[in-house]
Amino acid sequence: MTSPPIASLRWGEMKVEGSDTLYKDCKVWPGGNRTWDWRETGTRHRPGVQPADVNEIINKGIQIIVIGRGMEEALQVPEETLAFIRSKGINALVLQTEKAVAQYNKLVKDGVAVGGIFHSTC
């Protein structure tokens, strides 16, 4: 099963190929995608992405997760979250969201089992 490419990205809007949903923030993995609702885990820009935010994705058989920190990189990714990802034997790429989407789409095209979590505003 492959990960769905990100079809489009602009401030506050993301479209995942094969989905009719227009996302502000989203999670993607091999065979799926959904809204990333920060209220589920109490996520804020600081301290940022929590282990609970990525747990669903890293349990989908991925080799690497790409984390988009926002267009202006306001979203933090604490070391605790990166350590959690590494403890599962998964690599993480943390990038500005436009760069993160480009890298994610490249990995999808290359056939890598990749997941992603993206913030499309600040």
Side-chain angles (χ1 to χ4, degrees), residues 43-119:
T43 298
R44 302 276 185 259
H45 287 100
R46 292 182 190 279
V49 181
Q50 304 299 299
D53 293 315
V54 298
N55 190 51
E56 172 182 19
I57 302 165
I58 63 175
N59 288 316
K60 300 287 187 182
I62 63 169
Q63 299 169 300
I64 189 165
I65 185 168
V66 180
I67 301 172
R69 292 187 52 212
M71 300 299 220
E72 298 172 356
E73 299 184 88
L75 179 62
Q76 303 300 301
V77 182
E79 179 55 37
E80 170 191 1
T81 300
L82 296 174
F84 173 73
I85 293 166
R86 287 190 301 266
S87 77
K88 303 295 184 179
I90 296 169
N91 293 320
L93 289 176
V94 179
L95 301 163
Q96 184 268 354
T97 296
E98 290 162 310
K99 292 175 182 171
V101 165
Q103 185 62 45
Y104 169 85
N105 280 342
K106 180 185 182 312
L107 291 165
V108 169
K109 184 178 178 183
D110 291 345
V112 176
V114 60
I117 187 166
F118 304 102
H119 178 48

Side-chain angles (χ1 to χ4, degrees), residues 3 6 22 26 32 39 47 53 56 88 100-101:
S3 300
I6 304 297
L22 191 61
C26 73
R39 293 172 295 185
D53 293 315
E56 172 182 19
K88 303 295 184 179
V101 165

